[in-house]
Amino acid sequence: EAGVTQSPTHLIKTRGQQATLRCSPISGHTSVYWYQQALGLGLQFLLWYDEGEERNRGNFPPRFSGRQFPNYSSELNVNALELEDSALYLCASSGGQDSNQPQHFGDGTRLSIL
Amino acid sequence: GESVGLHLPTLSVQEGDNSIINCAYSNSASDYFIWYKQESGKGPQFIIDIRSNMDKRQGQRVTVLLNKTVKHLSLQIAATQPGDSAVYFCAENTTPASKLTFGTGTRLQVTL
């Protein structure tokens, strides 16, 4: 069974640009979560999508947004990139909001802002 | 709960010894807890979970203990191996399933 897959592996942008990160959940999982892991810091919750709807949002500015597609894959969009957005962005999936199963993570997208 | 600082606490153990990694969680309403292992360049890997109606759960070479009175969680690794070297995170969740709140992480170094 394929795990959570994320693309691209690495992404280099400059300040002010926009970035799009993609995630495919484990087959059968309907919930997708996004986390930011900045260098030297732990994981910070960004967004949770389930059945195509945004269910919860972390303490991040509105320029962080996303969506979930009918096939349950997801995109994270970051607008007006700032230097401090440089981080590893991790996507996780689980069986949905009623299943209370563990979240399983992909290996992330390393976003570097120059 | 919230991660702070740039320096991870480090636990150094000899190969073959048992390891105990501790975690204090923040939300008394949390009812689901998970331990993850993160190796360099990879995403967190699920190790074991426990629900608040339990105080102990065992897996293969790992045991998780939950003390709700003092909001403390621990991960015990038996016969630690070099492949166990990684950063370990505890995470808490409140049902219905939503965001995970991660601890600061502990780096486990296994010496030969």
Side-chain angles (χ1 to χ4, degrees):
Chain A
E1 176 185 272
V4 176
T5 57
Q6 293 186 243
S7 63
T9 305
H10 294 90
L11 190 57
I12 299 174
K13 295 285 186 178
T14 57
R15 288 179 60 192
Q17 285 189 313
Q18 184 258 351
T20 298
L21 288 63
R22 296 180 175 84
C23 172
S24 291
I26 292 171
S27 177
H29 285 186
T30 62
S31 273
V32 171
Y33 308 79
W34 288 95
Y35 293 84
Q36 183 195 65
Q37 187 173 31
L39 189 63
L41 299 178
L43 288 86
Q44 304 292 326
F45 169 75
L46 265 167
L47 289 160
W48 169 34
Y49 292 95
D50 182 73
E51 297 286 359
E53 300 286 332
E54 182 180 302
R55 302 295 185 183
N56 201 355
R57 182 182 181 84
N59 187 26
F60 282 84
R63 57 191 186 83
F64 287 83
S65 65
R67 55 180 172 166
Q68 186 178 33
F69 299 98
N71 67 353
Y72 303 113
S73 67
S74 177
E75 273 183 2
L76 173 69
N77 295 292
V78 188
N79 293 321
L81 287 164
E82 301 178 2
L83 293 176
E84 55 263 33
D85 297 332
S86 293
L88 180 67
Y89 289 84
L90 291 159
C91 173
S93 73
S94 74
Q97 59 178 324
D98 296 323
S99 66
N100 203 12
Q101 295 176 6
Q103 295 178 23
H104 294 274
F105 285 82
D107 286 335
T109 292
R110 172 75 60 188
L111 178 60
S112 299
I113 313 303
L114 305 180
Chain B
E2 291 297 324
S3 57
V4 295
L6 297 174
H7 300 289
L8 288 174
T10 298
L11 175 65
S12 192
V13 299
Q14 279 202 314
E15 182 181 5
D17 287 351
N18 296 333
S19 304
I20 300 177
I21 300 171
N22 296 303
C23 175
Y25 64 92
S26 58
N27 187 352
S28 57
S30 293
D31 55 7
Y32 180 54
F33 305 88
I34 309 175
W35 280 100
Y36 287 96
K37 170 187 180 183
Q38 187 174 25
E39 296 175 280
S40 181
K42 296 195 171 184
Q45 176 188 355
F46 169 79
I47 301 173
I48 192 168
D49 58 0
I50 188 168
R51 305 189 193 286
S52 59
N53 60 353
M54 304 171 67
D55 54 20
K56 180 179 180 178
R57 190 168 187 219
Q58 289 184 292
Q60 187 176 15
R61 278 203 310 122
V62 294
T63 301
V64 56
L65 299 177
L66 174 62
N67 185 330
K68 294 181 289 294
T69 303
V70 294
K71 293 191 286 187
H72 183 268
L73 198 64
S74 69
L75 176 70
Q76 301 178 2
I77 305 173
T80 311
Q81 302 168 359
D84 295 328
S85 294
V87 177
Y88 289 80
F89 292 96
C90 66
E92 59 186 293
N93 190 18
T94 306
T95 51
S98 59
K99 67 175 185 176
L100 288 175
T101 301
F102 282 81
T104 54
T106 296
R107 184 178 305 279
L108 177 64
Q109 291 180 337
V110 182
T111 58
L112 301 177

